[in-house]
Amino acid sequence: MHASIQLDFITRERLPLLCCLLAFILTFFVTRMIVRYIRGHADDDAPRKWWQPRNIGHGTTHIHHAVIGVILVMVSGITMVTLAVNGGVAEFTVAATFFGVGAALVLDEFALILHLSDVYWAEDGRTSVDAVFAAVAVAGLLVLGFNPLSFFDIGIWRDDHSLVARASVIAMAVLTLLLAVIVLLKGKVWTGLVGMFITPLLVVGALRLSRPHAPWARWRYTSRPRKMHRALVREHRWRRPVVQAKLWLQHVIAGEPRFPDDSEVDRQLESEIHAAAPPTPDRKAA
């Protein structure tokens, strides 16, 4: 009886806030422990085992956990606005509007968060524009009524509680996720992103050639030169008009409206299009 009285304040309406608080405290504690572990083993040259924490990076770029935090905040915020906000409640609509304002301000400086350097007007600053494009694409698809994991039929899940129906829904959702993983491994980020809402795009992306620099090409094409050559030729043919349009739009947003010249497009293509290096054998632990 005493316990039930003590827990009366945890109502169904307050449960999301309680989960948010607990997740915040736990994540902060775990993150601090991981960072301290990485710092304490910074001078250790022994190869790391798969379970040992390590820094995340791509090439020379170190991805700080603030980047992961921004992505999680954006995804969860859009999810809550999409699923939980009742358009008839004015307070929710105002809060959603301010979330949109805050998200735009944060993503406009996404390159600063990623590189921890003021690259707003530099070439690396284009990462902010890419982040805004991705956010607008996802929000636009949601506004148009598309749902992520379109095979995950919420209607069937709610109405039919039979094991067969629910197992089939889960199986189709898992299949969608697997297709998305294959598409991303093939280097087709936009196809994977939009394909989460329009599933046939995932099927097409999974069946088509990989981009030549992607992990899939590294694993499957480095020993098959003809396929790698086809991937390179196809990438140059299809990527050039996309790069031209992307650079033009980025120039417009950056306040310098001009169409990119061929040399600028060629430099961008050279930086983006290259054959993946063959995988190297893993070093054995000492």
Side-chain angles (χ1 to χ4, degrees):
M1 181 70 177
H2 179 70
S4 64
I5 294 176
Q6 293 296 322
L7 295 176
D8 280 346
F9 73 95
I10 306 177
T11 62
R12 184 175 181 181
E13 290 76 14
R14 291 182 180 177
L15 183 60
L17 183 59
L18 175 64
C19 292
C20 178
L21 176 61
L22 293 177
F24 178 89
I25 295 173
L26 181 61
T27 302
F28 181 83
F29 175 76
V30 172
T31 301
R32 281 285 168 170
M33 295 295 292
I34 291 175
V35 171
R36 286 175 65 89
Y37 179 89
I38 294 174
R39 184 178 182 183
H41 292 75
D43 298 329
D44 188 359
D45 295 330
R48 298 291 176 88
K49 296 181 173 60
W50 65 269
W51 51 267
Q52 290 180 301
R54 70 197 70 188
N55 287 322
I56 304 173
H58 176 69
T60 58
T61 302
H62 172 64
I63 301 177
H64 297 267
H65 53 265
V67 176
I68 301 174
V70 168
I71 294 173
L72 289 176
V73 167
M74 294 296 120
V75 172
S76 59
I78 291 177
T79 301
M80 287 188 288
V81 169
T82 303
L83 299 180
V85 172
N86 184 339
V89 181
E91 294 84 355
F92 287 169
T93 304
V94 171
T97 302
F98 277 105
F99 172 78
V101 173
L105 294 175
V106 170
L107 291 183
D108 189 52
E109 292 279 16
F110 185 76
L112 172 65
I113 300 172
L114 178 62
H115 298 284
L116 288 186
S117 178
D118 189 3
V119 293
Y120 196 87
W121 299 111
E123 184 174 352
D124 288 336
R126 292 171 179 166
T127 309
S128 296
V129 181
D130 292 337
V132 171
F133 286 170
V136 171
V138 171
L141 289 168
L142 290 170
V143 170
L144 291 174
F146 292 96
N147 297 314
L149 291 179
S150 56
F151 281 152
F152 193 85
D153 195 320
I154 298 296
I156 294 178
W157 185 265
R158 290 175 176 172
D159 300 336
D160 193 339
H161 292 227
S162 66
L163 179 62
V164 174
R166 294 206 161 189
S168 63
V169 171
I170 292 175
M172 296 304 288
V174 170
L175 176 61
T176 304
L177 285 174
L178 289 176
L179 287 173
V181 169
I182 292 175
V183 170
L184 292 176
L185 288 176
K186 288 189 171 186
K188 305 173 184 180
V189 178
W190 279 100
T191 303
L193 180 64
V194 179
M196 291 294 292
F197 297 84
I198 308 174
T199 308
L201 287 178
L202 292 180
V203 178
V204 174
L207 293 177
R208 298 293 300 273
L209 278 171
S210 167
R211 299 184 68 182
H213 62 275
W216 188 276
R218 184 185 181 196
W219 301 329
R220 303 293 300 273
Y221 297 173
T222 51
S223 60
R224 304 163 72 181
R226 286 189 177 181
K227 206 152 194 177
M228 179 65 80
H229 177 71
R230 283 177 53 206
L232 287 168
V233 171
R234 180 179 179 273
E235 185 79 355
H236 275 283
R237 182 173 67 250
W238 292 102
R239 191 68 184 164
R240 188 174 189 85
V242 174
V243 168
Q244 285 178 323
K246 179 181 174 182
L247 289 175
W248 173 81
L249 190 55
Q250 287 175 341
H251 285 316
V252 171
I253 294 175
E256 44 175 357
R258 62 182 178 84
F259 196 78
D261 55 33
D262 290 340
S263 60
E264 184 180 5
V265 176
D266 290 337
R267 284 196 304 270
Q268 186 68 22
L269 286 173
E270 288 299 321
S271 66
E272 291 186 10
I273 301 175
H274 54 85
T280 56
D282 296 332
R283 293 184 300 172
K284 293 183 178 180

